[in-house]
Amino acid sequence: MKKQFNRMRQLANQTVGRAEKTEVLSEDLLQVEKRLELVKQVSHSTHKKLTACLQGQQGVDVDKRSVRSPSKKLPLTSLAQCLVEGASVLGDDSLLGKMLKICGETQDRLAQELLLFELQIERDVVDPLFTLSEVEIPNIQKQRKHLAKLVLDMDSARTRWHQSSKSSTLTSKETSTGAKADALREEMEEAANRMEICRDQLSADMYSFVAKEIDYANYFQTLIEVQAEYHRKSLELLQNVLPQIKAQQESWVEKPCYGKPLEEHLILSGREIAFPIEACVTMLLDCGLQEEGLFRVAPSASKLKKLKASLDCGVLDFQEYSADPHAIAGALKSYLRELPEPLLTFDLYDDWIQASNIVDQDNRLQALLSTCEKLPTANSNNFKYLIKFLAKLNEFQDYNKMTPGNIAIVLGPNLLWAHTEGNITEMMTTVSLQIVGIIEPIIQHADWFFPGEMEFNVTGNYGSPVHTNHNANYSSMPSPDMDQSDRRQQDQSRRPLSVATDNMMLEFYKKDGIRKIQSMGVRVMDTSWVSRRGSSSSRKSSSTPPSVQPPAPPSDSLNPEQPADLSTSPSQTPPPISADRA
């Protein structure tokens, strides 16, 4: 009891500074002691954050901390199971089902790689950091506290021995006092011996900690190496899967075509003529050549949207759409307009415009022919196919009222446009008139530009629905017996936006642009057929088509305001054919 009281008193004296505390560690070991605490803090925080990064550790108690737990499932594993289940639902018949199956198997393999990665990280990095911060350093610190206690005991014993020695000189009982001093000296020596043993052990542990710092640093090198190996294997796995995914997509028949580059669509589909162009032209040849206002009258927006979607996925009901040639024509116009680059290309835009500005008819046709020959092969084949069809359509102009000029006005802006477009007002300017001046003579002289016959059903995959006259059932067409004013009022109230836009362009050509058109030799679109519609019903009743040769344009096809002198406009007679073109 007395010994403990002396120890408490010694500790109190050292605390308040009245007694000197013996320092048994060297200066180097004192620096190591300070570093121990810093390393412990860093290791503890690193271990905590690194454990949180292990996906297999989320939600696991500390006493169950292990990614080896079979009850814990990685998020990638759940994703893989979801994808595989989705693939089984959709089946291998669909492209989406195939993609889900491949991706599900890939995610499962990635999950296995991740599991192995986390197991190695836990074994080689996480566990050693835990041992360092929670076992090794705390043991050294615990030993340091024990040394401090032994130093206190030694100082206390030394203090009592000194006090006993001083008191022995003042008393006469030398025998009893000497025996007590010897006992205190032995106690002091024993305390000093225990302190030295503990100090030596602590010094060895501290020096060992300093020497093993390179091993502790290797933990983080191992972390980077394991991560690099994991990502390398994952990247290799993904790179091996990508060709399979691309092969499945390339082998899939149903590929969208609207808004895709022409050459890309032709390569993927293995065609020479774009699918929407061939499908629409083939159907129009069967059911639309005698349809009044073809390419001018806009179809139902819902019908057009449905047809475009059908063309995009390669599924067509010819019998259904044969009842609405205007929807077919609208789908063809939309495809041409939605091409990223016009069919006549941006690169040749200046050449086309320069050719249209030539006043002399023969020289203009030669310039247009020269520009046609510069077109890329894919564009040239599709343009030739389209022009041959439009020439065929022109043969029925007495029925459909679509002369070459009319066709050029409504279809030309979909074949060529500037790289940077303006608003609708800017479109109805000289540039649009020049485009009309390009398309109209090519349609008029289609056989001169593209000699030879054209087989329109190139793939032979299209049927021939029975042709019927749909004008009487088409909602946007007025009755032939309707009064002129009522017919005009109904047409204005029912026409869609695209019809209104076409009519705005027609009015522009008719009024403000008439002089420019005449100077370029382009005839104004004939709109007088609307007023003569009732009288055309007798022509429709005849099932005999016109002759193969294109008929001469009607005398009343020109606008009344247009002068009779059209010497600068292209004639129906083609220019002389050179020997090489013959």
Side-chain angles (χ1 to χ4, degrees):
M1 191 69 179
K2 185 176 180 182
K3 183 186 298 185
Q4 294 178 356
F5 173 75
N6 291 331
R7 182 185 299 168
M8 292 297 297
R9 185 175 63 179
Q10 182 70 19
L11 179 61
N13 291 335
Q14 291 178 355
T15 303
V16 298
R18 289 199 301 264
E20 182 180 356
K21 179 180 179 181
T22 304
E23 186 57 66
V24 295
L25 296 178
S26 65
E27 186 65 26
D28 294 337
L29 292 179
L30 291 177
Q31 294 296 327
V32 172
E33 181 183 5
K34 295 179 180 179
R35 189 172 180 80
L36 279 172
E37 183 62 29
L38 297 178
V39 173
K40 178 183 177 182
Q41 294 176 1
V42 172
S43 301
H44 178 78
S45 59
T46 304
H47 170 266
K48 183 178 180 181
K49 298 299 182 182
L50 189 57
T51 303
C53 292
L54 301 180
Q55 299 181 23
Q57 302 289 349
Q58 296 176 2
V60 181
D61 296 336
V62 176
D63 55 345
K64 299 179 181 180
R65 181 183 52 82
S66 176
V67 295
R68 301 178 180 85
S69 175
S71 61
K72 190 61 182 176
K73 185 182 298 184
L74 293 173
L76 275 180
T77 305
S78 302
L79 175 61
Q81 291 180 355
C82 178
L83 293 176
V84 173
E85 291 173 0
S88 62
V89 172
L90 296 178
D92 292 339
D93 297 336
S94 66
L95 178 62
L96 190 57
K98 294 179 179 179
M99 292 296 102
L100 286 174
K101 183 178 180 180
I102 295 176
C103 291
E105 295 173 351
T106 303
Q107 296 302 322
D108 184 63
R109 295 174 62 184
L110 287 175
Q112 295 177 9
E113 292 293 339
L114 179 60
L115 181 62
L116 295 176
F117 161 73
E118 291 191 352
L119 286 173
Q120 189 173 359
I121 288 295
E122 184 186 24
R123 182 184 67 246
D124 297 340
V125 180
V126 175
D127 288 347
L129 282 178
F130 177 81
T131 302
L132 175 62
S133 62
E134 305 299 331
V135 179
E136 293 182 4
I137 295 180
N139 285 341
I140 296 176
Q141 292 176 333
K142 182 179 179 182
Q143 198 171 0
R144 178 68 177 93
K145 292 180 180 179
H146 182 61
L147 177 62
K149 177 183 176 183
L150 294 179
V151 170
L152 183 61
D153 291 343
M154 182 187 68
D155 291 342
S156 177
R158 182 185 296 114
T159 302
R160 292 197 303 273
W161 178 70
H162 286 306
Q163 291 177 351
S164 176
S165 298
K166 291 180 181 179
S167 62
S168 63
T169 58
L170 302 176
T171 180
S172 57
K173 300 178 179 179
E174 297 180 359
T175 304
S176 60
T177 303
K180 183 178 179 181
D182 293 340
L184 291 176
R185 186 176 65 247
E186 291 177 0
E187 180 182 351
M188 179 189 67
E189 292 175 353
E190 182 180 356
N193 188 34
R194 290 196 302 268
M195 184 275 301
E196 288 180 0
I197 295 174
C198 182
R199 182 189 62 186
D200 294 342
Q201 182 64 39
L202 176 63
S203 299
D205 292 342
M206 285 186 171
Y207 285 129
S208 176
F209 167 79
V210 173
K212 291 167 60 178
E213 184 167 348
I214 187 173
D215 296 332
Y216 303 145
N218 283 336
Y219 298 159
F220 301 95
Q221 178 182 347
T222 303
L223 172 64
I224 300 301
E225 291 175 349
V226 174
Q227 283 182 321
E229 181 67 14
Y230 161 70
H231 288 295
R232 186 189 63 78
K233 291 182 178 179
S234 300
L235 179 60
E236 182 180 358
L237 176 62
L238 294 175
Q239 288 177 338
N240 293 334
V241 170
L242 278 177
Q244 302 179 25
I245 295 178
K246 293 180 180 179
Q248 292 289 348
Q249 292 180 340
E250 291 175 358
S251 63
W252 192 248
V253 179
E254 300 173 3
K255 300 179 179 69
C257 47
Y258 277 82
K260 301 294 182 181
L262 175 64
E263 188 172 359
E264 175 184 330
H265 165 63
L266 296 179
I267 293 175
L268 292 178
S269 59
R271 292 174 166 270
E272 291 185 1
I273 305 301
F275 172 66
I277 296 179
E278 182 182 351
C280 292
V281 165
T282 308
M283 288 190 290
L284 289 176
L285 286 172
D286 285 331
C287 64
L289 292 179
Q290 300 184 37
E291 195 74 21
E292 286 193 15
L294 193 68
F295 290 109
R296 189 194 76 84
V297 178
S300 166
S302 59
K303 183 77 70 174
L304 176 60
K305 183 178 180 181
K306 178 182 177 182
L307 177 55
K308 290 172 62 178
S310 300
L311 291 171
D312 248 348
C313 65
V315 179
L316 284 177
D317 186 349
F318 297 101
Q319 195 67 36
E320 174 187 358
Y321 293 108
S322 65
D324 194 351
H326 295 289
I328 302 173
L332 178 57
K333 288 174 61 177
S334 294
Y335 175 74
L336 295 172
R337 188 61 185 176
E338 293 177 16
L339 286 173
E341 184 177 12
L343 190 61
L344 299 184
T345 71
F346 288 131
D347 293 338
L348 298 177
Y349 178 82
D350 294 335
D351 295 351
W352 289 114
I353 297 301
Q354 290 175 6
S356 68
N357 290 333
I358 299 176
V359 178
D360 182 75
Q361 173 190 347
D362 294 340
N363 293 336
R364 184 193 313 167
L365 291 175
Q366 290 291 344
L368 292 175
L369 175 61
S370 176
T371 308
C372 278
E373 294 173 348
K374 296 179 183 178
L375 285 171
T377 303
N379 298 67
S380 178
N381 292 338
N382 284 266
F383 183 57
K384 173 183 177 181
Y385 184 91
L386 188 62
I387 290 298
K388 284 288 192 177
F389 162 70
L390 296 178
K392 194 75 174 177
L393 180 66
N394 179 46
E395 296 176 6
F396 293 82
Q397 62 177 284
D398 288 343
Y399 298 87
N400 54 44
K401 311 304 178 187
M402 296 301 291
T403 64
N406 297 348
I407 297 173
I409 290 174
V410 297
L411 205 58
N414 300 298
L415 297 173
L416 181 65
W417 60 85
H419 198 51
T420 55
E421 292 189 71
N423 53 34
I424 186 65
T425 305
E426 294 174 350
M427 291 175 61
M428 297 187 300
T429 57
T430 306
V431 174
S432 296
L433 302 179
Q434 290 170 326
I435 295 175
V436 174
I438 296 169
I439 303 303
E440 181 180 8
I442 296 179
I443 296 175
Q444 290 174 337
H445 308 302
D447 291 335
W448 181 78
F449 279 90
F450 306 107
E453 296 296 326
M454 171 61 67
E455 175 58 44
F456 292 103
N457 198 348
V458 178
T459 57
N461 294 332
Y462 306 101
S464 300
V466 179
H467 171 69
T468 55
N469 192 338
H470 313 288
N471 285 338
N473 298 327
Y474 195 69
S475 60
S476 66
M477 304 299 291
S479 171
D481 301 329
M482 186 178 296
D483 183 70
Q484 180 72 16
S485 60
D486 295 340
R487 186 188 305 119
R488 185 182 302 109
Q489 181 178 1
Q490 179 181 2
D491 182 69
Q492 292 292 335
S493 62
R494 289 189 176 187
R495 63 183 181 180
L497 176 60
S498 59
V499 178
T501 304
D502 285 341
N503 287 341
M504 288 171 59
M505 296 179 68
L506 295 179
E507 291 298 326
F508 175 78
Y509 298 139
K510 182 177 178 181
K511 296 179 181 179
D512 300 334
I514 187 67
R515 294 185 179 87
K516 297 177 181 178
I517 299 176
Q518 293 173 358
S519 64
M520 293 186 297
V522 181
R523 293 182 291 108
V524 179
M525 178 175 180
D526 177 20
T527 57
S528 61
W529 61 271
V530 178
S531 61
R532 304 194 309 273
R533 182 165 185 155
S535 62
S536 65
S537 59
S538 62
R539 289 197 298 258
K540 289 184 182 181
S541 62
S542 175
S543 60
T544 305
S547 61
V548 178
Q549 293 295 330
S555 60
D556 58 348
S557 63
L558 298 178
N559 190 284
E561 300 179 10
Q562 184 174 359
D565 183 12
L566 294 177
S567 58
T568 59
S569 63
S571 63
Q572 292 289 344
T573 304
I577 301 178
S578 60
D580 55 345
R581 287 196 60 77

